[in-house]
Amino acid sequence: MTQISIAVIGSCNIDVVVEAPKRPLAGETILGSRLIIAQGGKGANQAVAAARLGAKVYMVGCVGDDDYGRSVIKNFEANGIDTGNVKVVPGVTTGTAHITLAEGDNSIIVIKGANDLVTPELIDEAWPQIAGCDMVMLQHEIPAAAIAHTLKKCAEAGVKALLNPAPVLEGAQDWAKDAAFITPNEHEAQALFPGKSTEEILLENEGRLLMTLGSKGVAYAENGAINTVPAFKVQAVDTTGAGDTFNSAFAVARACGKTMSESITFANAAAALSVQKIGAQGGMPYLDEVEGMLSECRK
């Protein structure tokens, strides 16, 4: 694929991951098997995933002036990501996510920290860079004002923006209309479009909404019909970051001119590869790995 440019506006976290045989009940203490300190945050994850898939990536966000913040920036640079618009905020901690891995799935508590200081003003400062990109990516781990402001500016300027509405925020219905692409799961879709059936949501948002269905794949509408692109069947080790990988892979493929179906298939392959390793970013694949998987599937 030809190289395209992507601006990612979002959260930068350090993940504190605990691996355990099960989740503890209220008041219960159990022994975990492993502790992992890793890079994370939906924004940072999507930036790294897009960069590994061949895009030129510009990150826009905030970190604290602490060791975690310095680690985040170092990690971006190691992945070839432009950090010119990553603001270091004095006296504030870098965001953290506290993740429990148990029984093949994850549960997460997020402490926002510096991520809560991503403002419309920061977006305006970075706008010359953002406006020149082929795709802009946003998620819901930064303040609503910054999300709404970015999507409105993108819509007015004709810049394609992809909104991953996770976790769902109050008011998302208002700003989601300005996104060129929306990628909710079933629960997020119901929150964005209350009172509507899955079929109504898909058909009324033809060409712009992809509904992720977990192991069932991804549904979207095209030419008045609902299509489902199946997921790849793999043995999941850690699902953390799989959704972020999917979003970035779709953004990269779509920005390169691939069809909706082709872009979703590419994204599903990238997500399938990502869940086979530990860590949100640790399992994120490179372009040759995804192309290799797709090539094997065609045989």
Side-chain angles (χ1 to χ4, degrees):
M1 291 189 290
T2 57
Q3 187 177 53
I4 47 88
S5 58
I6 289 179
V8 179
I9 302 163
S11 57
C12 306
N13 288 339
I14 292 295
D15 290 349
V16 182
V17 185
V18 174
E19 195 172 31
K22 68 168 190 171
R23 288 177 178 77
L25 302 173
E28 181 184 19
T29 298
I30 65 171
L31 292 177
S33 56
R34 182 159 53 159
L35 172 68
I36 304 166
I37 308 296
Q39 299 289 330
K42 295 187 73 64
N45 289 346
Q46 291 181 12
V48 169
R52 290 185 182 175
L53 294 171
K56 174 59 182 175
V57 179
Y58 301 88
M59 183 70 202
V60 181
C62 293
V63 297
D65 62 342
D66 52 15
D67 288 342
Y68 278 168
R70 286 183 281 276
S71 174
V72 167
I73 291 175
K74 184 177 180 181
N75 180 60
F76 284 149
E77 292 171 345
N79 281 279
I81 296 166
D82 188 292
T83 60
N85 292 297
V86 178
K87 184 178 181 180
V88 179
V89 185
V92 178
T93 60
T94 298
T96 54
H98 303 264
I99 302 168
T100 299
L101 298 180
E103 301 166 312
D105 211 336
N106 65 71
S107 54
I108 306 171
I109 298 174
V110 174
I111 307 299
K112 292 183 177 181
N115 294 315
D116 220 20
L117 300 176
V118 178
T119 62
E121 290 75 23
L122 179 63
I123 304 306
D124 288 342
E125 291 172 15
W127 182 248
Q129 195 77 73
I130 296 169
C133 288
D134 298 294
M135 187 78 74
V136 176
M137 300 184 67
L138 298 107
Q139 328 76 33
H140 278 178
E141 289 183 345
I142 57 174
I147 301 167
H149 184 69
T150 304
L151 288 172
K152 183 178 180 181
K153 286 179 75 79
C154 286
E156 291 174 347
V159 178
K160 290 183 178 180
L162 182 152
L163 175 65
N164 176 212
V168 172
L169 297 179
E170 185 177 348
Q173 297 96 330
D174 296 327
W175 62 71
K177 65 182 184 297
D178 288 327
F181 301 103
I182 319 172
T183 58
N185 62 25
E186 293 173 276
H187 303 296
E188 292 156 357
Q190 289 297 327
L192 284 174
F193 306 96
K196 293 184 180 293
S197 67
T198 295
E199 183 177 353
E200 288 173 326
I201 293 170
L202 289 167
L203 291 173
E204 290 175 11
N205 291 276
E206 181 176 316
R208 65 187 294 265
L209 188 142
L210 294 69
M211 190 180 297
T212 57
L213 307 173
S215 61
K216 298 177 184 176
V218 178
Y220 71 103
E222 190 172 55
N223 299 323
I226 294 174
N227 304 310
T228 301
V229 179
F232 289 86
K233 305 299 181 184
V234 296
Q235 183 64 47
V237 174
D238 179 8
T239 60
T240 310
D244 298 324
T245 302
F246 172 87
N247 277 272
S248 291
F250 174 81
V252 169
R254 196 73 176 124
C256 284
K258 290 186 178 294
T259 66
M260 286 287 283
S261 177
E262 290 169 340
S263 298
I264 294 170
T265 299
F266 181 83
N268 280 349
L273 287 166
S274 77
V275 302
Q276 297 180 64
K277 294 180 182 178
I278 290 285
Q281 294 179 20
M284 288 177 170
Y286 290 86
L287 180 59
D288 61 340
E289 295 177 277
V290 180
E291 291 180 335
M293 182 176 184
L294 291 172
S295 179
E296 283 297 316
C297 290
R298 294 188 195 106
K299 292 181 180 179

